[in-house]
């Protein structure tokens, strides 16, 4: 069977491609990644994107490889190098949206030029008959920096003649003008042109003929393939004729210049812009002030980003057109897996994944049943699906799992002390004087988003539901306002990103999510009529015309004899459509309201504020971690297990370090209170209140502790750690944080006084030797050392848990990054290669053992600031995975009981397959075990703590893959165990590879 079919990566390494790191740079690092032990290179989007894109998610052409990255030939070289190295390639693709840059996106330009009579009209998700009648058959373009009339009369909008066509210029924008409007513009003062050239002049006759042809094309509101084809043909013929004519006839060129000068108007004379205004009003688009987007935009966006319009990939023609190049690269063997960006934005994700798998099967010329293990998935696919706490990936999706945010939160939660979190919440309330529970913060944040950034989409949904009600006699008395209010409250209370209702119905999980949301909404709004919620529920969970009502009595204690059934099959289909559109709305509201607002308002412990996380939680118990690992092994054994991505709020080692604060909550509370007093003079007064406020200041102190380096030339001296670069990074991070929080300032409505005050606070408090850092240096270093233990534990758990470990670029060393763009800074691969060279002699474990090896490995831990210890553990683990992939991808998962006799904890498990076995031992909550003489929890500090092993694993010896030491379980008649102090004699973590059974 083709090696691509059903292929699973063993480990992945994510590379962020852009003009500064193109395909050639990626090629240069293939040998390095291979030496690390990586099996698959995981590339950010490679298709043509908006010029200057730093991430590739603003795609402009799905069927062209980015020239800025090196183009198709350089990509082919990278693919060949990966293949030669025996490595696969996972490609990040963006099926949900595209950039609306008219200059580089041919489909969007086609749409703007031809309206409904364009191919682009079918491709983009546009409401052509919106509530605002002035937008009927038009697209709102909110690109103006001021109100339309002011921009127009200042002369900032101008028509130009370029390459045989007219275009509108505004700032850096170059927009096409509808060709049918060309005659009205260019017939200006043709009498003078006729007098100059003579009626029989061939050039004049050609000119007038061209204008007549343009005026006789199918109009912009014509629909159907024949009209589209005719319009496309005729406008291009006319453009070519006009371009040739202008090049050959100076009088025609002068006439066009004079005509455009007249229509472009004269600032200071408002009436001179009437003609241009008339032309613009006749376009298939309506220019508008950027602030109108929130309430009137009629193309669905990626979240609230006006520059990204969603596409209708659910249309088979659109799917085929946007996946043609992917099909080609699959067929060539270049791409062996894909990562799907933001599947929650798709109309029907389940259907999309089925089509994607069928595409791969076709590219590889196989039947779906031929895929590995008889599964439906010939292609390795992971979905960037954010699972809320308690949520599972839909079983109907033909994917191998998620991109790993669920694992990230599961493993990170192990290092959060539950009892300490209760004290952290009290400390936070004392410092900030904020006591609202996280659930309330989320509720208010989501309502804010619906009232501002995503109000337009809400209005469309409310009107759609209102139209359903108006045509149903049982529901017609529900007013538009009551429907809108109930919709707002339900979405604000929605517990997950979205449901997955489609024409085939809905699942038990879908119903549970809807019922939970409506129950919460009714509890928060007892004054709203209960029956409007019942009607909303029946729209969101559509039933058949004759299907009995399934509403639970405890939810709706109203008359349930008939409810609000659809009156016809047509109405039922309409309800399904609205329900599916609503699903595309709850997701961005959740993302913008929770991740990008509430997470910046609720700052108890920043390590908990991660994508898909629960900041109000109390950590993850080992038993819970084992259970999620067990479920992953059963259902999604090939899903990615990530600890950092390009979108994480904090780097993995920042989170690992900050989680220590919950163990040291009392000391933290004292330190942060003292820091506030020391920095009192650095705060400013803005609008009568101190700036930064207490909540933002609390976040700043956590961020500083999380990123504070200890590899300065003068360790132990704060001034040597607080570099200009660190100050600027923290300043940028705090600017982003306060704008995302949307309390005093935001990206849309800036409060420059508050922005400046926070920036000044960061610089002043960290200047002059940073006295507050100096005063707390011993505490910060203690947190950092305990964070090292958490980081190494997190690493070995990722390397050996069920799933495929994913490494974000550069994270083989300490990942002390903040949110993007901080975590997208250039990675120094040359430095990493030198470090790999330096530890290379230690990475191969001899079966005979090496008495000196343990000492040298211990020295790496002692020199932890240089991060070689993390690279060492990463390399050893990755190479072990590559040497025996089945042991990690197919092996059983066996939780191991631990008996810990000290104040810390241990997580341990075994992976077993046939006669092979591996045991992972990782500590947790060990801050109290450290001392001046024993800075890390190794050796004797574990005293008599034990890891119990089942009898089936006790009859063999084990070799520590890091130190080379051999261990054999202690056995009695009733139980067997490994002493933690022996397994963790040198390092605070262990991966033990078992030899064959002695029996």
């Amino acid at each position: 069977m083709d090696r691509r079919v059903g292929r699973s990566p063993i480990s992945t390494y994510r590379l962020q491609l852009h003009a500064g790191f193109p395909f050639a740079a990626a090629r240069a690092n293939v040998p390095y990644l291979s030496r690390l032990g990586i099996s698959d290179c995981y590339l950010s989007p490679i298709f043509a994107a908006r010029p200057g894109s730093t991430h590739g998610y603003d795609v402009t052409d799905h069927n062209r490889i980015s020239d800025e990255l090196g183009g198709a030939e350089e990509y082919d070289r990278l693919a060949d190098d990966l293949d030669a190295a025996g490595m696969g390639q996972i490609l990040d693709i963006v099926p949900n949206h595209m950039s609306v840059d008219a200059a580089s996106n041919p489909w969007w330009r086609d749409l703007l030029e031809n309206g409904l009579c364009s191919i682009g009209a079918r491709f983009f998700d546009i409401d052509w008959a919106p509530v605002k009648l002035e937008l009927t058959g038009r697209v709102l373009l909110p690109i103006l920096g001021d109100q339309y009339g002011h921009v127009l009369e200042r002369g900032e909008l101008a028509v130009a003649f370029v390459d045989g066509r007219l275009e509108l210029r505004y700032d850096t924008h170059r927009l096409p003008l509808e060709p049918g409007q060309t005659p009205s513009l260019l017939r200006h003062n043709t009498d003078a042109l006729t007098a100059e050239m003579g009626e029989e002049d061939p050039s004049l006759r050609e000119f007038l003929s061209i204008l007549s042809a343009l005026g006789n094309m199918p109009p912009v509101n014509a629909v159907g393939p024949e009209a589209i084809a005719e319009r496309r043909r005729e406008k291009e013929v006319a453009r070519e004729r006009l371009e040739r004519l202008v090049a050959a006839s100076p009088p025609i060129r002068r006439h066009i210049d004079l005509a455009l000068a007249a229509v472009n108007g004269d600032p200071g004379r408002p009436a001179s812009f009437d003609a241009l205004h008339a032309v613009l009003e006749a376009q298939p688009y309506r220019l508008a002030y950027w602030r109108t987007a929130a309430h009137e935009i009629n193309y669905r966006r990626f979240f609230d980003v006006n520059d990204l319009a969603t596409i209708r990939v659910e249309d088979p023609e659109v799917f085929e057109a946007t996946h043609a190049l992917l099909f080609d690269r699959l067929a060539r063997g270049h791409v062996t897996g894909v990562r799907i960006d933001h599947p929650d934005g798709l109309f029907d994700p389940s259907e999309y994944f089925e089509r994607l798998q069928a595409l791969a099967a076709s590219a590889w010329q196989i039947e779906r049943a031929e895929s590995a293990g008889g599964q439906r998935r010939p292609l390795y696919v992971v979905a960037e699906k954010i699972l809320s706490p308690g949520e599972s990936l839909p079983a109907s999706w033909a994917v191998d799992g998620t991109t790993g945010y669920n694992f990230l939160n599961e493993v990170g939660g192990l290092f959060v002390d539950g009892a300490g979190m209760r004290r952290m919440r009290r400390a936070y309330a004392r410092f900030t004087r904020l006591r609202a529970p996280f659930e309330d913060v989320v509720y208010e944040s989501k309502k804010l988003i619906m009232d501002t950034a995503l109000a337009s989409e809400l209005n469309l949904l409310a009107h759609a539901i209102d139209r359903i009600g108006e045509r149903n006699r049982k529901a017609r008395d529900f007013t538009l306002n009551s429907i809108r209010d109930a919709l707002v409250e339900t979405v604000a209370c929605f517990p997950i990103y979205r449901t997955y209702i489609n024409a085939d119905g809905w699942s038990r999980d879908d119903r549970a999510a809807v019922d939970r949301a409506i129950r919460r909404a009714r509890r928060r709004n007892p004054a709203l009529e209960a029956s409007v919620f019942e009607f909303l529920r029946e729209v969101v969970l559509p039933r058949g015309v004759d299907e009995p009502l399934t509403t639970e009595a405890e939810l709706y204690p109203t008359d349930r004899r008939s409810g609000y059934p659809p009156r016809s099959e047509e109405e039922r289909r309409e309800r399904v459509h609205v329900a599916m559109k609503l699903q595309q709305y709850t997701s961005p509201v959740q993302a913008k309201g929770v991740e990008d607002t509430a997470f910046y308002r609720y700052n108890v412990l920043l390590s908990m504020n991660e994508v898909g996380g629960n900041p109000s939680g109390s950590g993850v118990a080992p038993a819970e971690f084992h259970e999620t690992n067990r479920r992953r092994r059963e259902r999604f054994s090939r899903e990615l297990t990530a600890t950092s991505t390009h979108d994480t709020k904090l780097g993995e080692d920042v989170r690992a370090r900050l989680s220590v604060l919950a163990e040291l909550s009392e000391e933290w509370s004292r330190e942060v209170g003292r820091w506030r007093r020391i920095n009192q003079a650095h705060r400013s007064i803005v609008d009568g209140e101190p700036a930064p406020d207490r909540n933002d200041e609390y976040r700043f102190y956590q961020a500083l502790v999380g990123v504070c380096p200890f590899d300065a030339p003068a360790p132990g001296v704060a001034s040597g750690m607080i570099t200009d670069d660190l100050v600027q990074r923290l300043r940028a991070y705090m600017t982003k944080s306060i704008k995302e929080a949307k309390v005093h300032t935001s990206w849309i409505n800036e409060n420059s006084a508050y922005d400046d005050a926070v920036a000044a606070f960061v610089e002043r408090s960290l200047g002059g030797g940073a006295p507050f850092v100096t005063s707390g240096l011993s505490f910060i270093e203690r947190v950092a050392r305990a964070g090292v233990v958490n980081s190494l534990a997190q690493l070995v758990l990722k390397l050996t848990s069920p799933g495929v470990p994913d490494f974000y670029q550069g994270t083989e060393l300490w990942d002390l990054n903040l949110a993007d763009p901080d975590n997208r800074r250039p990675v120094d691969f040359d430095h990493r290669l030198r470090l790999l060279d330096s530890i290379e002699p230690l990475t191969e474990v001899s079966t005979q053992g090496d008495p000196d090896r343990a000492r040298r490995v211990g020295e790496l831990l002692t020199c932890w600031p240089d991060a070689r210890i993390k690279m060492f553990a990463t390399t050893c683990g990755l190479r072990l995975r590559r040497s025996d992939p089945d042991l990690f991808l197919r092996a059983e998962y066996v939780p191991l009981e631990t008996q810990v006799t000290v104040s810390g904890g241990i997580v341990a498990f075994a992976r077993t397959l046939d006669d092979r076995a591996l045991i992972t031992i990782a500590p947790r909550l060990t801050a109290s075990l450290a001392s001046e003489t024993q800075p890390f929890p190794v050796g004797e500090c574990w005293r008599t703590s034990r890891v119990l092993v089942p009898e089936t694993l006790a009859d063999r010896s084990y070799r520590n893959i890091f130190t080379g030491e051999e261990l054999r379980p202690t056995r009695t008649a009733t139980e067997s165990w490994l002493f933690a102090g022996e397994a963790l004699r040198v390092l605070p973590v262990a991966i033990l590879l078992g030899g064959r059974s002695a029996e």
Side-chain angles (χ1 to χ4, degrees):
M1 181 180 292
D2 192 318
R3 71 176 185 86
R4 300 165 296 183
V5 179
R7 181 188 188 280
S8 173
I10 305 164
S11 59
T12 62
Y13 192 99
R14 168 82 175 203
L15 290 175
Q16 292 294 111
L17 300 170
H18 49 82
F21 192 86
F23 295 134
R27 284 184 63 206
N29 286 290
V30 168
Y32 166 72
L33 298 184
S34 181
R35 284 183 60 192
L36 273 182
I38 295 294
S39 76
D40 285 62
C41 188
Y42 169 18
L43 300 178
S44 63
I46 65 169
F47 298 153
R50 179 191 283 266
S53 174
T54 59
H55 47 73
Y57 289 105
D58 41 6
V59 177
T60 57
D61 190 342
H62 285 89
N63 292 311
R64 183 165 58 86
I65 292 177
S66 169
D67 291 331
E68 291 191 359
L69 300 182
E73 290 186 3
E74 195 61 38
Y75 169 74
D76 288 345
R77 294 188 184 98
L78 171 60
D80 290 342
D81 285 359
L82 289 170
D83 188 59
M87 297 174 68
Q89 179 196 140
I90 296 176
L91 185 60
D92 191 349
I93 64 172
V94 190
N96 177 65
H97 57 267
M98 296 183 74
S99 165
V100 295
D101 179 42
S104 56
N105 186 335
W107 290 339
W108 186 253
R109 188 175 183 88
D110 176 38
L111 171 75
L112 298 184
E113 186 176 37
N114 303 296
L116 281 164
C117 196
S118 70
I119 294 175
R122 181 173 183 172
F123 279 49
F124 294 95
D125 194 352
I126 297 169
D127 183 1
W128 293 102
V131 176
K132 188 177 180 68
L133 295 179
E134 291 82 359
L135 284 173
T136 301
R138 305 174 73 190
V139 177
L140 185 78
L141 288 190
I143 63 174
L144 303 181
D146 198 353
Q147 294 174 354
Y148 167 76
H150 297 308
V151 173
L152 176 72
E153 294 178 10
R154 285 198 297 262
E156 296 176 20
L157 299 168
V159 179
F161 180 78
V162 181
D163 298 331
R165 61 166 62 94
L166 299 181
E167 71 175 22
L168 180 69
R169 294 182 173 181
Y170 170 69
D171 193 27
T172 61
H173 297 277
R174 301 292 183 265
L175 304 176
L177 282 183
E178 196 267 294
Q181 294 298 308
T182 301
S184 65
L185 287 171
L186 300 190
R187 281 198 174 106
H188 171 77
N189 203 15
T190 51
D191 290 344
L193 179 64
T194 303
E196 175 187 356
M197 300 182 70
E199 291 184 359
E200 300 303 318
D201 185 280
S203 294
L204 176 61
R205 292 166 64 184
E206 171 69 358
F207 180 59
L208 296 177
S209 173
I210 293 169
L211 298 185
S212 295
L214 288 170
N216 291 323
M217 293 187 309
V220 293
N221 60 355
V223 295
E226 291 182 0
I228 292 173
E230 180 183 351
R231 181 178 171 89
R232 174 181 289 270
R233 180 183 65 248
E234 294 304 318
K235 76 178 180 65
E236 284 305 308
V237 169
R239 183 195 66 77
E240 293 169 1
R241 290 169 62 190
L242 187 56
E243 185 177 25
R244 288 193 300 268
L245 177 62
V246 168
S249 176
I252 299 294
R253 176 76 220 206
R254 286 196 301 272
H255 170 79
I256 292 175
D257 290 342
L258 289 172
L260 296 187
V263 79
N264 283 334
D266 182 14
R269 293 194 307 115
S272 68
F273 291 96
D274 290 349
L276 178 57
H277 172 64
V279 169
L280 296 180
E281 286 296 279
Q283 297 305 307
Y285 52 85
R286 177 184 172 102
L287 296 175
Y289 184 26
W290 65 269
R291 288 183 179 273
T292 66
H295 293 92
E296 294 186 350
I297 201 164
N298 63 327
Y299 61 85
R300 194 168 61 86
R301 301 164 291 172
F302 174 70
F303 295 168
D304 60 347
V305 183
N306 295 340
D307 292 339
L308 297 175
T310 59
I311 54 178
R312 299 181 61 250
V313 75
E314 65 272 15
D315 184 322
E317 182 179 323
V318 179
F319 179 91
E320 183 178 351
T322 53
H323 290 70
L325 183 56
L326 175 63
F327 176 89
D328 175 70
R329 297 297 159 166
L330 286 168
R332 295 190 190 192
H334 290 169
V335 175
T336 55
V338 294
R339 177 253 199 199
I340 303 302
D341 180 67
H342 189 50
D344 276 349
L346 301 176
F347 189 64
D348 189 344
S350 180
E351 180 184 64
Y352 172 80
F353 289 122
E354 288 293 336
R355 285 180 175 165
L356 187 64
Q357 293 290 355
L359 180 85
S362 177
W364 294 336
Q365 299 181 345
I366 62 169
E367 296 292 333
R368 290 286 292 276
E370 292 182 33
S371 60
Q375 299 296 314
R376 298 179 296 122
R377 301 193 288 267
L379 177 65
Y380 180 79
V381 179
V382 287
E384 190 215 15
K385 165 61 185 168
I386 313 304
L387 296 171
S388 299
E391 184 184 8
S392 299
L393 197 65
S396 63
W397 287 11
V399 302
D400 290 280
T402 73
T403 54
Y405 287 107
N406 43 321
F407 177 82
L408 180 154
N409 286 289
E410 292 157 9
V411 72
L414 283 171
F415 309 108
V416 176
D417 180 20
M421 277 303 295
R422 291 190 287 274
R423 294 189 293 270
M424 287 291 287
R425 280 188 274 273
R426 290 195 295 269
Y428 175 69
R430 284 195 302 270
F431 189 99
T432 65
R433 301 171 184 170
L434 299 174
R435 289 174 171 79
F438 181 64
E439 182 179 2
D440 289 353
V441 176
V442 167
Y443 173 77
E444 295 298 336
S445 297
K446 291 174 72 171
K447 290 186 71 173
L448 172 66
I449 293 300
M450 286 187 279
D451 192 46
T452 55
L454 296 176
S456 176
E457 292 85 345
L458 176 71
N459 290 335
L460 291 174
L461 286 166
H463 278 85
I465 296 172
D466 181 59
R467 286 194 295 269
I468 292 174
E470 287 290 342
R471 291 195 288 270
N472 187 304
R473 64 187 182 214
K474 288 192 173 185
R476 74 178 210 176
D477 287 340
F478 294 126
T479 66
L480 174 62
N481 285 342
S482 68
I483 288 172
R484 188 183 189 280
D485 290 345
L487 186 59
V488 166
E489 295 301 326
T490 300
V491 174
C493 295
F494 221 73
I496 58 178
Y497 280 72
R498 63 166 281 179
T499 50
Y500 299 96
I501 297 157
N502 59 25
D504 295 329
W506 33 268
S507 70
R508 181 179 299 177
D509 289 340
D510 293 330
R511 175 181 169 178
V514 172
D515 285 346
R516 185 178 177 190
I518 289 180
R519 186 186 299 113
R520 287 177 172 180
R522 288 196 58 204
R523 188 165 58 244
R524 285 186 178 273
N525 299 273
L528 277 177
E529 186 178 356
S531 58
V532 71
F533 285 106
E534 185 171 349
F535 170 62
L536 178 61
R537 180 187 188 273
E538 289 213 43
V539 172
V540 175
L541 296 174
R543 58 169 163 150
V545 176
D546 298 320
E547 186 178 344
L549 184 65
T550 58
T551 305
E552 297 177 5
E554 65 270 19
L555 284 172
Y556 310 105
T558 58
D559 183 358
R560 297 173 49 255
R561 287 173 297 175
S562 58
Y564 301 93
R567 305 284 296 178
S568 66
E569 184 60 25
E570 180 183 359
E571 182 183 338
R572 188 197 71 82
R573 288 195 297 268
E574 186 177 6
R575 291 187 182 196
V576 171
H577 181 79
V578 170
M580 294 178 74
K581 297 301 291 184
L582 175 60
Q583 294 173 145
Q584 291 179 293
Y585 182 67
T586 59
S587 174
V589 171
Q590 183 85 351
K592 297 300 296 181
V594 180
E595 294 174 26
D596 293 343
T597 304
F599 277 8
Y600 289 93
R601 292 183 171 191
Y602 188 85
N603 300 326
V604 173
L605 183 62
L606 297 188
S607 61
M608 300 281 280
N609 294 23
E610 196 49 83
V611 179
N614 178 18
S616 64
S618 298
V620 173
E624 183 181 355
F625 177 75
H626 289 314
E627 178 58 21
T628 58
N629 264 351
R630 185 191 62 78
R631 289 200 301 267
R632 180 177 298 106
R633 192 264 171 194
E634 289 180 355
R635 289 195 58 200
F636 297 109
S637 62
R638 307 197 303 175
E639 86 171 348
L640 294 186
T641 51
T643 43
S644 286
T645 77
H646 59 287
D647 279 335
T648 40
K649 302 298 182 184
L650 295 171
E652 61 189 56
D653 298 313
V654 177
R655 294 194 310 274
R657 182 185 292 185
L658 289 180
S659 292
V660 176
L661 297 180
E663 298 181 68
L664 306 176
S665 54
E666 299 296 342
E667 294 96 318
W668 163 250
S669 182
R670 288 193 295 270
E671 289 290 340
V672 77
R674 186 160 53 85
W675 294 348
R676 176 172 172 79
R677 292 190 295 273
I678 294 173
N679 289 328
Q680 183 173 355
H682 302 317
R683 290 187 287 275
S684 306
I685 300 298
V686 176
D687 297 329
E689 297 291 335
D693 70 11
R694 288 172 171 264
N695 198 26
D696 291 332
E697 186 175 352
Y698 197 78
R699 172 178 283 269
F700 166 66
Y701 293 139
Q702 286 194 60
L704 174 66
V705 171
V707 302
C708 206
F710 283 89
D711 56 353
V717 180
S719 59
M721 300 160 53
I722 309 301
T723 62
D724 289 342
D725 177 66
L726 181 64
V727 173
Q728 294 309 310
R729 287 174 57 209
L730 285 165
R731 172 176 169 167
Y733 173 73
M734 287 305 300
T735 296
K736 175 170 184 168
S737 298
I738 60 178
K739 289 184 179 296
E740 296 285 18
K742 306 172 189 67
V743 174
H744 303 285
T745 183
S746 71
W747 298 114
I748 295 176
N749 296 304
E750 291 190 350
N751 180 347
S752 58
Y754 191 82
D755 295 345
D756 294 344
V758 172
F761 177 80
V762 172
E763 294 180 346
R764 292 169 187 165
S765 64
L766 295 177
F772 85 96
V773 179
T774 300
S775 71
L777 193 60
S778 61
F779 174 78
I780 296 174
E781 185 168 4
R782 183 183 175 194
V783 172
R785 286 181 180 272
V788 168
V789 179
N790 287 352
S791 292
L792 294 176
Q794 177 176 256
L795 173 62
V796 298
L797 292 172
K798 177 170 80 169
L799 284 165
T800 56
S801 288
V804 177
D806 172 43
F807 289 80
Y808 180 62
Q809 60 178 24
T811 59
E812 60 271 33
L813 301 186
W814 300 131
D815 178 19
L816 299 181
N817 288 311
L818 299 164
D820 71 281
D822 194 63
N823 66 357
R824 303 186 191 185
R825 291 175 297 151
V827 174
D828 189 343
F829 283 104
D830 289 340
H831 173 61
R832 284 161 174 75
L833 183 58
R834 288 192 296 270
L835 289 185
L836 182 57
D837 287 339
S838 73
I839 64 170
E840 188 66 46
L842 289 176
T843 57
E844 298 298 334
V845 181
S846 170
T847 57
Q848 301 302 316
D850 180 356
D852 195 43
R853 177 187 176 87
R855 177 189 61 79
R856 289 181 293 159
V857 170
E859 289 174 353
L860 295 181
L861 181 63
T862 302
C863 301
W864 63 269
D866 66 18
R868 287 181 300 157
I869 184 60
K870 187 180 183 186
M871 175 175 274
F872 168 75
T874 299
T875 306
C876 290
L878 287 175
R879 292 181 181 180
L880 176 62
R881 289 185 65 90
R882 190 169 60 184
S883 69
D884 190 356
D886 283 349
L887 181 57
F888 297 92
L889 297 177
R890 295 179 46 230
E892 296 292 331
Y893 181 84
V894 183
L896 299 181
E897 183 182 348
T898 62
Q899 296 177 347
V900 180
T901 58
V902 294
S903 58
I906 290 176
V907 179
F909 57 80
R911 304 298 307 277
T912 64
L913 180 67
D914 300 329
D915 60 353
R916 289 119 73 196
L918 173 146
I919 292 176
T920 297
I921 301 175
R924 61 188 293 265
L925 311 182
T926 62
S928 62
L929 299 182
S931 65
E932 290 186 8
T933 59
Q934 187 74 34
F936 293 104
V938 295
E940 287 302 314
C941 77
W942 290 105
R943 298 189 178 91
T944 56
S945 298
R946 303 186 301 171
V947 175
L948 303 184
V949 294
E951 188 61 27
T952 55
L953 298 178
D955 58 348
R956 66 190 74 197
S957 65
Y958 293 85
R959 189 170 298 279
N960 188 320
I961 72 162
F962 300 130
T963 66
E965 296 171 304
E966 186 176 357
L967 289 84
R968 186 174 291 275
T970 300
R971 306 174 69 179
T972 68
T974 57
E975 59 183 4
S976 304
W977 66 86
L978 290 165
F979 280 113
E982 292 181 1
L984 307 179
R985 188 181 71 82
V986 177
L987 293 183
V989 294
I991 298 176
L992 308 177
L993 188 61
R996 296 183 183 276
S997 170
E999 296 180 358

